[in-house]
Amino acid sequence: MSVLKRGLIVSCQAVEGEPLYGYGIMHLFAKAAKEGGACGIRALCDDVESIKKEVSLPIIGLVKKCYPDSEIYITPTKADVDRLLKVPCDVICMDATLRLRPNGERLEELYRYARQNCGNRELMADVATVEDAINAEKLGFDYVSTTMRGYTAETKNALLPDFDFMRECKKCLSKAKLIAEGGIFESGHMKIISQINPYSVVVGSAITRPKVITQRLNGALKLQ
């Protein structure tokens, strides 16, 4: 039985440089998300414990760390997996694009290491292309998320949310569960995604990033 349930997962994150970074309030965003009907939380490693104390929802944990020799920054290395193994997240998430990883590590090795040490936890692959998705399922990931679409050199011109990409991933996956994520801001987006029928949907910025929400609305305001 899957740890994650079907429904809306809310990403509660604040990284360095954002207004809410460093205040230790992501557990309050998680509480609000739960009360709004969220079925899970996606969170940074450092926030997992406080969120777990606040809500009983399953947590997708990840590390965001930049390395000089790779563009990958979501749980890039075994050391980052080790950090997640020390906190009570239910799913370990990592970038599963077919790009060079830091320190010469390979995705296959990272997946195998995580699987051997994760216990009852599940594993999620963040992908950007159909090739990524197919490879992630072949490796054995429990979930494949469209998170990285638009955030790699190969997909930087993709219009988000990329519904066609979500549909393609849905068609090519037979075992791994599809998680729709990326650029989802409006109820109209959710209606289209409902027709695609992924396993679950992750929304972050539209719910938990006030600066981004303000910029989006302000940009649409055209006063005469």
Side-chain angles (χ1 to χ4, degrees), residues 9 42 44 49 63 80 87 104 149 161 181 189 198 217:
I9 298 166
R42 180 175 165 118
L44 296 175
E49 290 192 14
V63 171
D80 300 314
V87 299
R149 187 69 170 181
E181 181 175 6
H189 293 162
L217 293 173

Side-chain angles (χ1 to χ4, degrees), residues 30-92:
K31 180 180 180 181
K34 179 183 179 181
E35 292 183 5
C39 68
I41 303 295
R42 180 175 165 118
L44 296 175
C45 180
D46 290 344
D47 294 317
V48 169
E49 290 192 14
S50 62
I51 291 175
K52 202 69 171 179
K53 292 176 181 178
E54 188 70 45
V55 301
S56 58
L57 298 176
I59 300 175
I60 302 165
L62 61 142
V63 171
K64 283 189 175 178
K65 185 174 181 180
C66 294
Y67 290 81
D69 59 342
S70 175
E71 296 179 347
I72 291 178
Y73 58 89
I74 296 180
T75 318
T77 69
K78 292 178 182 178
D80 300 314
V81 169
D82 284 338
R83 288 183 59 192
L84 290 168
L85 292 173
K86 296 176 182 178
V87 299
C89 61
D90 304 280
V91 179
I92 292 176

Side-chain angles (χ1 to χ4, degrees), residues 99-210:
R99 297 179 292 174
L100 294 175
R101 307 189 78 87
N103 308 322
E105 293 189 20
R106 299 171 63 246
L107 176 60
E108 294 81 358
E109 297 170 348
L110 187 63
Y111 168 81
R112 186 163 54 250
Y113 179 79
R115 183 63 80 186
Q116 290 173 347
N117 293 280
C118 69
N120 294 326
R121 308 178 204 216
E122 294 180 314
L123 301 181
M124 178 178 291
D126 284 350
V127 304
T129 67
V130 172
E131 184 181 9
D132 294 339
I134 293 172
N135 185 64
E137 180 173 73
K138 182 179 179 180
L139 288 174
F141 280 94
D142 302 287
Y143 306 97
V144 171
S145 178
T146 58
T147 314
M148 297 308 299
R149 187 69 170 181
Y151 295 95
T152 66
E154 183 179 358
T155 67
K156 63 181 181 180
N157 294 321
L159 180 63
L160 301 180
D162 193 333
F163 302 119
D164 288 338
F165 176 56
M166 295 174 187
R167 291 188 186 96
E168 291 173 1
C169 286
K170 180 70 183 298
K171 290 179 182 178
C172 78
L173 297 176
S174 59
K175 295 181 180 180
K177 297 175 175 62
L178 176 64
I179 308 296
E181 181 175 6
I184 303 167
F185 265 88
E186 305 164 3
S187 58
H189 293 162
M190 297 296 268
K191 291 179 181 178
I192 297 173
I193 291 173
S194 295
Q195 296 173 351
I196 298 172
N197 196 33
Y199 183 77
S200 293
V201 181
V202 172
V203 176
S205 297
I207 299 174
T208 60
R209 296 178 71 186

